[in-house]
Amino acid sequence: MSLLSTEICTEIDRWLEKYPPNQKQSAVISALHTVQNYHGWISRELLDAVAEYLEMPNIAVYEVASFYSMFDLKEVGRYKINICTNISCLLSGAEEMVEYIEKRLGIRVGQTTADGKFTLRSVECLAACVSAPVCEINRDYHERLTPDKIDAILKELE
Ligand code: FES
């Protein structure tokens, strides 16, 4: 039995409709996003299930999933805080924001809170430089960060 739920398969099928039937692998990135959206991260077993569903060699799916940093191949917190530490954000106080979040949550970059709620990561440019410093939490962008803004954001999620 496949690990992919009916909902996931239905969503992947919608992507598959966009490609010729013999090009199922073209939907691999969308399929991985779909699986991650449902499960929060993508286990080895789920990667294998995607490979089977798209009739691809398992290794080809591992290659795609491990190439892109947006795919989480290890368990992460319910809320993934990706804070940009690239040049515009850095010049606008990203380092201070990282320190503030680390202190506020009691974790360092790359770690997850003990309750499994938050994972903090430092990422490259989020393409919102004009509003630096910026972070993305799950799929939402938060711009022109300040300690007060961070407090308000985290309070809503706690
Ligand atoms: S440098 Fe941070 S969004 Fe571009």
Side-chain angles (χ1 to χ4, degrees), residues 15-89:
W15 287 103
L16 285 172
E17 284 169 15
K18 300 177 191 294
Y19 304 104
N22 62 344
Q23 296 293 320
K24 286 185 168 187
Q25 72 272 17
S26 302
V28 66
I29 290 181
S30 306
L32 291 171
H33 274 301
T34 302
V35 170
Q36 183 163 281
N37 289 344
Y38 278 88
H39 290 273
W41 65 290
I42 314 172
S43 65
R44 178 75 170 260
E45 291 75 19
L46 286 167
L47 290 174
D48 292 341
V50 169
E52 189 183 348
Y53 199 75
L54 298 181
E55 297 168 11
M56 292 173 67
N58 293 18
I59 186 71
V61 175
Y62 303 163
E63 284 168 354
V64 173
S66 60
F67 180 80
Y68 294 103
S69 60
M70 69 258 200
F71 295 125
D72 293 308
L73 306 181
K74 287 189 184 141
E75 199 162 357
V76 287
R78 183 145 35 105
Y79 298 107
K80 297 179 237 179
I81 305 173
N82 293 326
I83 184 152
C84 173
T85 50
N86 217 303
I87 191 68
S88 299
C89 288

Side-chain angles (χ1 to χ4, degrees), residues 80-111:
K80 297 179 237 179
I81 305 173
N82 293 326
I83 184 152
C84 173
T85 50
N86 217 303
I87 191 68
S88 299
C89 288
L90 205 63
L91 292 172
S92 304
E95 271 181 337
E96 290 80 3
M97 296 309 115
V98 169
E99 274 173 34
Y100 187 78
I101 297 171
E102 285 181 334
K103 217 180 211 174
R104 177 83 163 57
L105 296 179
I107 54 172
R108 306 297 304 268
V109 165
Q111 296 181 333

Side-chain angles (χ1 to χ4, degrees), residues 110-139:
Q111 296 181 333
T112 299
T113 52
D115 60 3
K117 211 163 194 182
F118 298 100
T119 295
L120 177 62
R121 292 187 294 212
S122 152
V123 296
E124 297 302 324
C125 183
L126 289 169
C129 318
V130 72
S131 305
V134 175
C135 79
E136 177 197 29
I137 302 180
N138 293 356
R139 293 178 143 199

